């Protein structure tokens, strides 16, 4: 047959012939010219080439041929497109196509190229450019791969046979449309007889019905995937699958022991744990959660039982106090059961268990017990000392029934208002009581055994002090009444009220009256525990009487009735036509209080001014780290305070000197003066060296002038009458070294009226 494409194909030769004539564009050096397209005489579809060719020679793919090629060598062939001249080559003369590189279908399955037939001389296309495909044929060169492996899965224990566990998938990179290279089948290499795998789907299934997590909770499976449908020569890959058996509640709780025995002291506290028991459940998590319950043996509800959420233990808790003398043992029947139950396992048996818990109550030495523990008593505030208020009673609960000794806790009755008989428990008053000071006394009574007082019982006694009429009423507040001169008769100038610390059962009933009739004012009892003060006449003038004093009697109406006289001060004021007060006289007491306050303020201001105008504050002995002392002389023009000034020097030494010789002065001899100065400086150095609180840096010591009025004579050499020796008399200080040079210079100048600052660094 006549062909434009010659290729080695199993299907034989194929050719397509196009007889249509189409104009096509020919580009040249000048303007484009359209010519009639010639009938296409050569065509091709696609070439096929096997991948992974390993031969030494280029692999022949096929041949291109054009009817325009007459075999005279005037036509040459060209390739363009994917892999042209790099992977695929063409013989220009013959049109033979070869592959010069190894091909891999998994990297690129086909290549698209373009073929051209040109005139060798003019290089013009003799046929239109056409496109063709070189398709890479697959071979079985890739093994199946589990991209998601290794796998892990979970399945409930005791699952039925055929329960799906997991689906594994292997991928084969070969061409699934060509041959069996990518057709994979699955098999299990490890994990039988517990599990199986579907050959075509890769679904892993349970193969046994009684997989028990408590016996074995993990299985490792090896799954094989093989291509070529598992035939001989196929490639294979493996993966691992870890299967974990999850727990179900298939095991009931069981007590390891049928009888538990515990000892509990009768002094155990309420809500304390007195015993612990634990049932064993082989399941896990919520399937192992248990509830405990006391079925019988505790009719009075002395105990309760709860489950510890962390350990699943049964905690037996004490609900009511234990008493060895009343009951010495308990036998409790306890049941344990699972909170979550699988209905399908109930046919096997109940998911619960029973045990017996025996509790032996241990006798301990108990403190005496009061009956009752809280008592309420009453006593009148008028009761004389020694009056019986009441009594308490306590007993020893132990079998010995020892006698009891009573006492009042001192912390509850600090003022010793009451006393108690240590044997009988009778409480008496120890002092006079005052209800108005304290209406209720809360005391604590203790009871101990007379033979051994290590343990004590206690009781609370509340003693209420009843009221008697022992306080007279008085004004409810301090009244300041002012009345205008033009007040009309019968005008109410003030409404009075009263207070009484007593509390009668039927309430207060105050009566108001005047001790005598008053010429200017009168009093009216309002019969509601108040009274009104009214003017009696007109023409009240300040010039006649500035202040009026009105004695008011207030009685309480009690049994017996008590009363008090309270003086009401009324001040006359000058008022305008509208009743506005312009001038009032508030009376001597008020004026005196104002004067006293003014006097106090004056004294305070005087002290402040005196403090401010005093001499500049003396330099402190210890200065801040930031200050630089060096050698400074501080002047002050004010004299010191004499013996009252104790900050600048120690008055003890001067007083001691004054006692030994009041009229003595510094000795006239130079040797004696030198000795005294040396001793003075040596003492000061010793005091400074032994002062543990002294800072490590230099400090400033100020020596002031003595003040006037001192009983001690002057010790200063600056005031010495022997001025002729003042300069030369202290020249010996220069011989003591550089430390005393500054002191020698100060004394040699003999300047009076200076403050002398001796710095520790100079000494």
């Amino acid at each position: 047959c006549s062909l434009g494409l010659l290729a080695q194909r199993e299907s034989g030769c194929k050719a397509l012939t196009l007889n249509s004539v189409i104009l096509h564009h020919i580009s040249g050096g000048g303007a484009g010219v359209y010519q009639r397209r010639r009938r296409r005489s050569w065509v091709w579809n696609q070439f096929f080439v096997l991948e992974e060719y390993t031969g030494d020679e280029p692999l022949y793919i096929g041949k291109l041929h054009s009817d325009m090629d007459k075999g005279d060598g005037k036509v040459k062939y060209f390739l363009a497109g994917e892999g042209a001249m790099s992977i695929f080559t063409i013989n220009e003369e013959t049109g033979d196509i070869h592959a010069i590189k190894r091909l891999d279908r998994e990297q690129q399955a086909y290549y698209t190229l373009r073929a051209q037939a040109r005139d060798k001389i003019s290089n013009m296309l003799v046929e239109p450019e056409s496109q063709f495909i070189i398709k890479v044929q697959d071979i079985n060169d890739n093994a199946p791969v589990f991209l998601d492996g290794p796998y892990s899965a979970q399945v409930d224990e005791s699952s039925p046979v055929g329960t799906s566990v997991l689906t594994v998938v292997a991928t084969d990179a070969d061409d699934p449309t060509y041959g069996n290279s990518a057709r994979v089948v699955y098999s299990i290499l490890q994990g039988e007889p517990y599990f199986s795998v579907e050959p075509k789907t890769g679904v892993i299934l349970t193969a046994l019905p009684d997989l028990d997590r408590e016996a074995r909770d993990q299985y490792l499976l090896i799954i094989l995937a093989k291509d070529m449908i598992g035939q001989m020569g196929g490639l294979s890959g493996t993966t691992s699958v870890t299967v974990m058996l999850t727990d179900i509640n298939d095991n009931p709780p069981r007590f390891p022991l049928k009888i538990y025995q515990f000892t509990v002291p009768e002094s155990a506290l309420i809500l304390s744990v007195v015993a612990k028991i634990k049932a064993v459940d082989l399941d896990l998590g919520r399937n192992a959660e248990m509830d405990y319950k006391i079925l019988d043996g505790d009719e009075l509800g002395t105990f309760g039982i709860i489950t510890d959420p962390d350990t699943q233990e049964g905690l037996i808790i004490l609900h009511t106090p234990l008493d060895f003398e009343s009951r010495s043992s308990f036998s409790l029947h306890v049941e344990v059961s699972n909170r979550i139950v699988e209905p399908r396992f109930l046919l096997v048996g109940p998911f619960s268990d029973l045990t017996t818990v025996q509790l032996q109550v241990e006798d301990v030495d108990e403190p005496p017990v009061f009956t009752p523990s809280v008592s309420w008593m009453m006593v009148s505030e008028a009761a004389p000392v020694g009056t019986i208020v009441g009594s308490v009673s306590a007993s020893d609960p132990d079998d010995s029934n020892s006698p009891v000794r009573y006492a009042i806790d001192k912390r509850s009755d600090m003022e010793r208002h009451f006393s108690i008989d240590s044997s009988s428990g009778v409480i008496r008053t120890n002092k006079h009581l005052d209800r108005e000071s304290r209406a209720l006394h809360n005391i604590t009574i203790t009871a101990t055994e007379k033979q051994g007082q290590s343990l004590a019982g206690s009781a609370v006694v509340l003693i209420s002090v009843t009221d008697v009429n022992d306080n007279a009423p008085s004004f409810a507040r301090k009244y300041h009444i002012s009345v205008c001169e033009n007040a009309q008769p019968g005008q109410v100038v003030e409404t009075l009220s009263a207070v009484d610390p007593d509390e009668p059962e039927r309430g207060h009933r105050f009566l108001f009256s005047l001790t005598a009739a008053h010429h200017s004012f009168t009093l009216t009892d309002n019969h509601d525990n108040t009274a009104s003060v009214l003017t009696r006449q007109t023409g009240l003038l300040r010039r006649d009487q500035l202040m009026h004093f009105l004695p008011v009697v207030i009685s309480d109406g009690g049994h017996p009735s008590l009363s008090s006289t309270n003086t009401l001060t009324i001040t006359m004021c000058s008022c305008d036509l509208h009743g506005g007060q312009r001038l009032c006289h508030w009376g001597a007491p008020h004026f005196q209080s104002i004067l006293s306050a003014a006097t106090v303020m004056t004294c305070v201001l005087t002290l402040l001014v005196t403090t401010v105008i005093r001499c500049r504050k003396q330099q402190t002995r210890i200065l801040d780290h930031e200050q630089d002392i060096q050698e400074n002389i501080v002047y002050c023009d004010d004299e010191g305070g004499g013996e009252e000034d104790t900050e600048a020097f120690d008055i003890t030494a001067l007083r001691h000197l004054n006692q030994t010789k009041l009229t003595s002065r510094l000795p006239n001899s130079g040797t004696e003066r030198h000795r005294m100065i040396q001793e003075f400086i040596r003492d000061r150095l010793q005091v400074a060296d032994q002062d543990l609180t002294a800072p490590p840096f230099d400090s400033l010591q100020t020596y002031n002038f003595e003040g006037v009025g001192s009983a001690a004579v002057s010790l200063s050499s600056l005031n010495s009458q022997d001025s002729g020796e003042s300069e030369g008399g202290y020249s010996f200080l220069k011989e003591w070294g550089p430390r005393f040079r500054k002191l020698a210079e100060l004394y040699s100048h003999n300047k009076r009226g200076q403050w002398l600052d001796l710095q520790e660094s100079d000494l």
Side-chain angles (χ1 to χ4, degrees):
C1 59
S2 176
L3 292 176
L5 165 62
L6 298 177
Q8 295 177 347
R9 289 281 292 179
E10 295 179 358
S11 59
C13 297
K14 292 184 179 179
L16 291 176
T17 302
L18 298 178
N19 297 321
S20 61
V21 178
I22 303 174
L23 290 176
H24 66 282
H25 181 270
I26 301 176
S27 60
V33 179
Y34 284 91
Q35 297 180 355
R36 293 188 66 183
R37 181 173 179 179
R38 296 178 61 85
R39 183 180 63 185
R40 183 172 178 177
S41 302
W42 58 286
V43 293
W44 53 87
N45 294 339
Q46 59 185 358
F47 293 109
F48 294 90
V49 60
L50 290 175
E51 66 172 334
E52 305 295 344
Y53 173 71
T54 58
D56 296 333
E57 298 295 331
L59 178 63
Y60 178 76
I61 297 176
K63 184 180 182 65
L64 297 180
H65 182 71
S66 175
D67 289 344
M68 301 301 296
D69 186 0
K70 305 301 183 181
D72 53 4
K74 293 181 180 181
V75 177
K76 59 180 181 180
Y77 300 93
F78 295 92
L79 279 181
E82 294 179 318
M85 308 313 294
S86 60
I87 300 176
F88 306 102
T89 62
I90 189 170
N91 190 312
E92 293 182 355
E93 301 293 336
T94 63
D96 293 334
I97 302 174
H98 292 81
I100 60 175
K101 287 187 177 180
R102 183 177 176 181
L103 301 178
D104 187 358
R105 190 202 66 84
E106 285 70 37
Q107 293 183 358
Q108 188 165 348
Y110 61 90
Y111 297 84
T112 303
L113 295 94
R114 299 185 303 276
Q116 297 176 353
R118 292 179 179 271
D119 185 272
K120 184 179 291 187
I121 297 175
S122 64
N123 202 32
M124 298 294 293
L125 290 172
V126 297
E127 290 288 344
E129 182 183 86
S130 297
Q131 181 174 294
F132 68 96
I133 295 174
I134 298 178
K135 189 173 183 180
V136 183
Q137 281 187 314
D138 182 50
I139 64 173
N140 190 20
D141 59 344
N142 291 279
V145 177
F146 292 92
L147 299 179
D148 298 329
Y151 298 87
S152 62
Q154 293 181 346
V155 65
D156 287 343
E157 62 176 331
S158 301
S159 296
V161 175
T163 301
S164 176
V165 179
L166 178 71
T167 299
V168 296
V169 177
T171 302
D172 196 317
D174 293 326
D175 188 0
T177 63
Y178 179 74
N180 297 322
S181 299
R183 299 182 64 182
V184 179
V185 294
Y186 301 93
S187 61
I188 184 168
L189 299 181
Q190 178 180 315
E192 293 179 332
Y194 308 103
F195 298 92
S196 63
V197 62
E198 286 286 345
K200 294 182 179 181
T201 61
V203 177
I204 299 175
L205 307 172
T206 57
L208 293 179
D210 55 352
L211 296 177
D212 188 5
R213 185 203 63 81
E214 288 73 30
R216 182 178 177 182
D217 61 352
Q218 180 175 311
Y219 294 86
L220 180 62
L221 312 182
I222 303 298
I223 304 300
L224 173 70
K226 189 174 182 180
D227 59 14
M228 299 298 292
I229 323 179
Q231 297 176 359
M232 185 70 66
L235 303 178
S236 62
T238 60
T239 187
S240 63
V241 180
T242 302
V243 180
M244 299 291 297
L245 296 184
T246 56
D247 184 60
I248 62 174
N249 192 11
D250 57 345
N251 293 280
R254 291 289 182 262
F255 283 110
L257 301 176
K258 290 302 180 182
I259 297 178
Y260 293 87
Q261 293 182 345
F262 299 95
T263 300
V264 183
E266 64 174 334
S267 59
L269 300 178
I270 302 298
L271 298 182
S272 63
V273 177
V274 298
K276 295 181 181 181
I277 58 176
K278 185 177 182 180
V280 177
D281 192 326
L282 299 179
D283 296 321
L284 297 177
R286 298 187 60 189
N287 296 321
E289 293 180 353
M290 296 173 284
D291 288 325
Y292 297 86
K293 182 171 60 175
I294 298 177
L295 298 180
D296 54 51
D298 184 23
E299 298 78 9
L300 300 179
T302 307
F303 302 96
I305 188 168
I306 62 174
T307 302
D308 189 323
D310 297 326
T311 63
Q312 293 300 309
E313 290 179 305
L315 308 180
I316 300 178
I317 298 176
L318 182 63
H319 282 175
T320 60
L322 296 176
D323 186 8
F324 174 80
E325 289 71 25
S326 300
R327 186 171 180 178
S328 61
S329 65
F330 295 84
S331 181
L332 310 179
H333 292 87
V334 179
E335 179 189 50
V336 63
S337 59
N338 279 132
R339 294 179 183 174
I340 300 176
V341 178
E342 290 281 346
R344 55 177 171 159
F345 295 110
L346 291 177
L347 298 176
V348 180
F351 272 65
S352 61
D353 196 16
L354 297 174
T355 190
T356 300
V357 179
Q358 295 181 352
L359 299 174
Q360 298 293 328
V361 181
E362 183 180 14
D363 187 23
V364 296
D365 188 14
E366 299 176 88
V369 177
F370 282 90
T371 306
S373 59
V374 179
S375 301
W376 186 282
M377 303 178 183
M378 300 180 66
V379 62
S380 173
E381 64 175 330
V385 175
T387 300
I388 297 177
V389 180
S391 64
V392 294
S393 176
S395 60
D396 184 11
D398 297 325
D399 293 337
S400 58
N401 195 16
S402 301
V404 174
R405 182 188 304 274
Y406 300 95
I408 296 178
D409 190 342
K410 296 180 180 180
R411 294 172 296 181
S412 63
D413 187 21
M414 300 292 291
E415 298 180 3
R416 305 292 189 271
H417 288 101
F418 303 94
S419 63
I420 188 171
D421 188 282
S422 61
S423 299
S424 63
V426 175
I427 301 174
R428 302 175 183 269
T429 58
N430 198 40
K431 288 183 178 180
H432 289 287
L433 303 178
D434 184 10
R435 190 204 63 82
E436 287 71 33
S437 299
R438 188 172 179 181
L440 180 66
H441 295 264
N442 185 348
I443 63 175
T444 301
I445 308 298
T446 61
T448 57
E449 298 179 11
K450 290 185 177 181
Q451 297 179 354
Q453 301 183 7
S454 58
L455 298 177
S458 62
V460 175
V461 176
L462 301 175
I463 301 177
S464 177
V465 181
T466 59
D467 185 45
V468 296
N469 191 24
D470 58 348
N471 291 277
S474 61
F475 281 149
R477 60 182 178 87
K478 188 175 182 180
Y479 293 97
H480 298 284
I481 304 176
S482 59
V483 180
C484 294
E485 291 179 313
N486 56 357
Q488 298 298 321
Q491 178 180 338
V492 177
V493 298
E494 185 65 82
T495 299
L496 307 179
S497 60
V499 292
D500 191 336
D502 296 324
E503 291 184 0
E505 294 181 359
R506 298 182 179 180
H508 292 290
R509 177 65 181 94
F510 298 126
L511 302 176
F512 297 86
S513 62
L514 296 177
T515 57
H518 195 274
H519 59 86
S520 299
F521 298 94
T522 185
L523 183 71
T524 300
D525 194 329
N526 298 326
H527 303 289
D528 59 354
N529 292 337
T530 63
S532 299
V533 179
L534 300 90
T535 56
R536 169 171 289 184
Q537 64 180 11
T538 59
L540 298 175
L541 300 177
R542 295 180 67 252
R543 66 173 178 267
D544 295 338
Q545 188 172 352
L546 292 176
M547 303 177 63
H548 297 268
F549 300 98
L550 192 65
V552 178
V553 178
I554 308 175
S555 58
D556 56 12
H559 299 284
S561 177
L562 298 180
S563 63
S564 65
T565 302
N566 302 264
T567 301
L568 194 65
T569 302
I570 304 175
T571 304
M572 301 304 301
C573 298
S574 175
C575 303
D576 54 21
L577 296 177
H578 302 288
Q581 298 178 359
R582 294 182 298 180
L583 178 63
C584 290
H585 183 3
W586 292 102
H590 186 68
F591 176 76
Q592 290 178 358
S593 62
I594 297 177
L595 181 61
S596 300
T599 304
V600 173
M601 293 299 298
T602 303
C603 294
V604 172
L605 291 176
T606 303
L607 291 175
L608 291 176
V609 172
T610 304
T611 304
V612 171
I613 66 176
R614 287 195 62 182
C615 175
R616 293 187 301 270
K617 187 178 181 181
Q618 299 178 1
Q619 298 290 334
T620 57
R621 298 184 180 182
I622 299 176
L623 300 180
D624 297 334
H625 296 280
E626 293 81 2
Q627 296 183 359
D628 187 8
I629 302 302
Q630 297 183 358
E631 299 177 359
N632 301 321
I633 298 178
V634 180
Y635 292 89
C636 183
D637 296 333
D638 189 18
E639 293 183 350
E643 292 181 346
E644 297 176 358
D645 188 356
T646 60
E647 294 184 4
F649 58 91
D650 187 4
I651 193 63
T652 305
L654 297 179
R655 287 176 176 173
H656 180 72
L657 181 63
N658 191 33
Q659 292 176 0
T660 56
K661 190 175 183 180
L662 295 176
T663 60
S664 64
R665 290 181 176 271
L666 288 175
N668 295 328
S669 63
T671 303
E672 185 65 19
R673 287 199 300 270
H674 299 165
R675 185 185 62 79
M676 293 186 65
I677 293 177
Q678 291 175 358
E679 291 179 355
F680 172 75
I681 295 175
R682 188 183 303 110
D683 293 341
R684 286 293 181 179
L685 288 174
Q686 184 177 2
V687 171
D689 293 338
Q690 295 178 354
D691 188 2
L692 300 179
T693 62
F697 46 82
D698 294 342
S699 61
L700 184 67
Q701 179 67 46
T702 304
Y703 293 84
N704 295 339
F705 277 122
E706 296 177 350
V708 297
S710 174
V713 297
S714 175
L715 298 178
S716 175
S717 60
L718 299 178
N719 294 328
S720 176
Q721 297 179 359
D722 191 3
S723 61
E725 297 180 4
S726 62
E727 181 175 357
Y730 297 102
S731 60
F732 69 92
L733 294 175
K734 298 180 180 179
E735 301 175 357
W736 287 5
R739 288 189 174 183
F740 300 92
R741 185 177 297 114
K742 184 68 176 180
L743 186 62
E745 292 176 357
L746 293 175
Y747 272 85
S748 63
H749 286 79
N750 195 18
K751 291 184 178 181
R752 301 177 184 273
Q754 292 182 340
W755 287 43
L756 179 59
D757 292 346
L758 298 180
Q759 194 172 357
E760 187 179 349
S761 60
D762 292 333
L763 297 179

